[in-house]
Amino acid sequence: MSIPGVFPPVERDSKVLVDGGLLNNIPTNVMKEEFNPDIVIAVDIGTPLGDMQAISSLFGILQQSITVMLIDNDRRNLRLADIVIAPELGNLSILDFSKIDQTIEIGYKSAQEKAAILDRLSVDDETWQQYVDRKTAKKQNSSTVADRVEVAGVSPNAQQALLKKVEVAIGEPLDTLQLEKSLTEIIGEGRYESLGYQLVPSSNDPTKQTLKIRVKEKSYAPPSINVGIEVEANEANDLNFTVGGRLTLYDIGKYGSELRTDLKLGFRTLVATEYYRPISKNRFLQIATRGFYSRETFPFFVSSRRLGEFQANIAGAGIDLAFLKTRSEVRVGYEIASLNVRQRSGVVPTPLLKDGTANSLRVKWVYDGQDSATISTKGTRISAEGRYYITTTENRSFPQVALNFSHLKPINGSSSLIINFIGSTSFNRDAGLLQQQTVGGPFRLTGFNRNEFRGNHTVIGSLGYLKQIGEISPLVGGRVFAIGMYEVGGAYRNFFAPKLNNSFAGGILVDTRIGPFSIIGGLGQGGRGQLYVSFGQSF
């Protein structure tokens, strides 16, 4: 079912194959001519022609054009069938993959409506049991034991790396569930277009079987490019616009290494590059070096009054030792940065605008058990970081800890409960202006300005509800969600005197092929309101 534009073509026996529906969607003529059966039963699941609304978009015009080309050939071939079953699919189409259970139920009902005709083709119980016994015997005699494993389609270095990731017990019955789980995780890394497998007789000993894993590399990558756009507006009706992207190069200097370069331009400016290089054979241990420059404008608030803005220019470098597992990463490292702070508008207290150097030691742990890198519906994600600032622009040294926790619990097939917690503390020490943690912005007190509140300590607790409300064409994306959330939290100087604010958030999330698209609005206490629009991956 390699539908052009949805799934890539399949290369087999020096041929490039696509879905047979393009030329012969209901091949009853092939059945009659080549197999000469007694009876041909055809199931017509062709999508009927639509109305004017169906051709109101470019995709609709394309889909209807293909349907017109297919429909005449389908009708001709249906006349060659002895029995035709035509399920009433309604608005369902060949692209509604996620509605397979609903489609199957319609198929059963359609076959039941033809019971009077199909019953005449049935056999007696004894004949049926003989057929079942023969089928079972074939299954029992067919071996599912892999005596060796091969990887094809990639370089020798990649073959060795993939063999270490695929868990197959040689000489024992093949655990297909575990194998497919391993292949799915490899696909999730984003490096390959597809992976498949089959058991074939070994070339040097036909009595043994080889598990052959076929890998198809992306024709358009590496390198890979992701893009993102952010637009945000506040109650003053001014817009902040940022466009950015990430370029990822693989195998620079050593197989398994990655060089990631991020670029953002607009309201937020960022140029950053990081090089990951494995230093152990299984890639469990890596070294990561990075350099970065950022420029961003921050609001300065006192008691919810916006007094002015300041601009921070930060240039720095860092090095980490990283320990990697399938869903988690631990980093231990050092970072140094040069800080330059300038007043941009309004009034910002001059003593806060200090230049200088900050350097710190850090430990960071990330666990990602959620089911999607874009819009998750279940699972837990935890990010915890501890820093010790050796020096800052204020000539202070102090520890700092930050924790982000997010958990989604499915309620039914289309809804999830969201529980989030964000917290940080500098313990009993005063952090500098740029070392203070901030809250405000999307799902960090959405009803307030981004980074509106800052302090030595922050805390946000939120409870939300996520519900799938639709889907868009697989050609451009996937599921559409509605989200609502209640948030309470704030940033404050005195650990024992927290200042908390309430906020409500709601909006639409759409999973697209280039990343999530979202329109999120927030309402904070005191009638404060914000609107955030983003498109593509956020880096």
Side-chain angles (χ1 to χ4, degrees):
M1 57 183 293
S2 179
I3 303 171
V6 180
F7 301 113
V10 175
E11 296 181 30
R12 184 173 295 171
D13 299 330
S14 301
K15 297 179 180 179
V16 179
L17 307 177
V18 295
D19 191 277
L22 292 182
L23 294 177
N24 199 348
N25 198 39
I26 307 176
T28 50
N29 59 329
V30 178
M31 295 295 298
K32 290 281 190 179
E33 295 167 5
E34 297 189 15
F35 297 95
N36 193 29
D38 297 318
I39 294 174
V40 173
I41 303 174
V43 182
D44 179 17
I45 58 170
T47 303
L49 291 174
D51 53 16
M52 286 296 294
Q53 186 177 359
I55 56 173
S56 60
S57 65
L58 179 61
F59 173 72
I61 294 172
L62 176 62
Q63 188 177 37
Q64 291 298 305
S65 300
I66 295 174
T67 302
V68 169
M69 291 187 292
L70 296 177
I71 199 166
D72 183 62
N73 187 50
D74 288 353
R75 289 171 176 171
R76 183 170 56 253
N77 281 0
L78 283 172
R79 288 195 289 269
L80 298 177
D82 299 287
I83 300 172
V84 176
I85 299 175
E88 292 292 337
L89 296 174
N91 294 325
L92 295 174
S93 72
I94 59 173
L95 298 179
D96 288 318
F97 308 117
S98 63
K99 299 177 182 178
I100 185 64
D101 292 335
Q102 182 181 349
T103 309
I104 289 173
E105 184 62 29
I106 293 173
Y108 275 117
K109 291 180 180 178
S110 300
Q112 188 65 39
E113 292 171 358
K114 298 280 186 176
I117 299 174
L118 297 176
D119 280 346
R120 297 201 297 266
L121 306 179
S122 63
V123 296
D124 57 64
D125 291 342
E126 182 179 355
T127 305
W128 173 253
Q129 189 58 48
Q130 291 174 358
Y131 166 75
V132 172
D133 292 342
R134 290 197 303 271
K135 187 175 180 180
T136 302
K138 287 182 179 180
K139 287 184 177 180
Q140 291 174 344
N141 292 333
S142 62
S143 174
T144 59
V145 175
D147 299 292
R148 64 191 305 265
V149 183
E150 291 182 359
V151 177
V154 290
S155 67
N157 283 333
Q159 291 176 15
Q160 294 301 316
L162 290 173
L163 284 173
K164 293 176 181 177
K165 293 182 179 181
V166 177
E167 299 180 13
V168 176
I170 301 299
E172 297 182 9
L174 185 63
D175 186 345
T176 56
L177 292 178
Q178 180 58 48
L179 174 61
E180 291 171 4
K181 181 176 181 291
S182 299
L183 298 183
T184 299
E185 290 178 349
I186 295 172
I187 283 289
E189 296 175 359
R191 179 161 183 169
Y192 302 109
E193 186 171 278
S194 64
L195 281 88
Y197 69 93
Q198 68 179 133
L199 281 167
V200 297
S202 298
S203 56
N204 56 350
D205 186 352
T207 63
K208 297 183 179 296
Q209 293 196 107
T210 296
L211 176 66
K212 182 165 287 188
I213 299 174
R214 290 189 171 90
V215 184
K216 182 176 177 60
E217 294 187 313
K218 292 179 177 179
S219 59
Y220 53 88
S224 62
I225 300 176
N226 300 95
V227 298
I229 299 172
E230 295 179 10
V231 181
E232 61 183 66
N234 62 23
E235 68 275 5
N237 294 319
D238 60 336
L239 292 175
N240 296 320
F241 182 85
T242 303
V243 60
R246 168 175 286 174
L247 173 67
T248 304
L249 302 173
Y250 297 96
D251 306 334
I252 305 297
K254 182 178 181 179
Y255 177 80
S257 65
E258 292 186 21
L259 178 64
R260 299 178 182 177
T261 301
D262 295 341
L263 177 65
K264 281 186 177 183
L265 298 172
F267 178 69
R268 273 177 285 278
T269 297
L270 172 69
V271 181
T273 186
E274 186 163 32
Y275 178 60
Y276 300 80
R277 183 183 178 95
I279 55 178
S280 63
K281 291 184 178 180
N282 58 3
R283 297 184 66 190
F284 168 72
L285 186 61
Q286 297 199 11
I287 191 168
T289 58
R290 64 187 179 278
F292 56 89
Y293 168 78
S294 68
R295 184 185 67 205
E296 185 170 353
T297 299
F298 296 90
F300 185 78
F301 284 81
V302 174
S303 299
S304 299
R305 291 181 56 205
R306 185 171 185 150
L307 300 183
E309 294 180 335
F310 66 92
Q311 180 176 285
N313 298 277
I314 305 174
I319 184 169
D320 290 328
L321 193 62
F323 305 86
L324 305 180
K325 296 290 286 183
T326 302
R327 289 187 173 272
S328 63
E329 175 188 69
V330 176
R331 286 191 176 210
V332 180
Y334 170 80
E335 183 177 285
I336 184 170
S338 174
L339 312 177
N340 174 268
V341 187
R342 291 289 180 269
Q343 179 173 303
R344 187 178 181 192
S345 65
V347 177
V348 180
T350 302
L352 298 178
L353 305 177
K354 292 185 177 180
D355 299 341
T357 300
N359 61 88
S360 60
L361 301 171
R362 75 163 188 168
V363 177
K364 185 175 183 179
W365 171 58
V366 176
Y367 168 78
D368 193 346
Q370 295 186 347
D371 64 337
S372 174
T374 53
I375 304 175
S376 300
T377 59
K378 64 179 179 180
T380 301
R381 190 180 193 277
I382 304 172
S383 175
E385 182 178 45
R387 280 183 183 261
Y388 183 80
Y389 285 95
I390 302 172
T391 61
T392 66
T393 54
E394 290 80 10
N395 294 319
R396 299 171 185 162
S397 59
F398 59 90
Q400 191 175 73
V401 174
L403 172 67
N404 286 358
F405 172 86
S406 175
H407 178 72
L408 291 98
K409 174 69 174 178
I411 300 174
N412 52 47
S414 61
S415 303
S416 299
L417 182 67
I418 307 171
I419 301 174
N420 290 341
F421 174 81
I422 300 172
S424 68
T425 180
S426 299
F427 299 93
N428 60 344
R429 306 297 297 273
D430 281 333
L433 184 66
L434 295 183
Q435 287 78 49
Q436 291 177 335
Q437 297 293 309
T438 63
V439 299
F443 304 118
R444 296 176 61 89
L445 294 185
T446 313
F448 299 89
N449 280 283
R450 190 188 296 269
N451 303 317
E452 177 170 335
F453 305 102
R454 61 178 56 247
N456 298 325
H457 318 283
T458 62
V459 63
I460 300 176
S462 53
L463 184 65
Y465 181 73
L466 181 72
K467 181 175 178 59
Q468 183 180 345
I469 58 175
E471 290 187 44
I472 59 177
S473 165
L475 292 176
V476 294
R479 298 174 293 178
V480 180
F481 297 87
I483 187 171
M485 188 170 291
Y486 168 70
E487 308 159 294
V488 58
Y492 43 95
R493 183 172 182 177
N494 187 337
F495 183 82
F496 298 101
K499 297 179 180 179
L500 303 181
N501 299 274
N502 296 281
S503 176
F504 293 90
I508 301 295
L509 309 176
V510 184
D511 204 354
T512 76
R513 287 205 167 212
I514 66 170
F517 169 75
S518 65
I519 301 177
I520 303 298
L523 180 64
Q525 67 186 54
R528 300 287 300 279
Q530 297 290 324
L531 178 66
Y532 297 92
V533 180
S534 66
F535 189 36
Q537 296 282 8
S538 180
F539 308 107

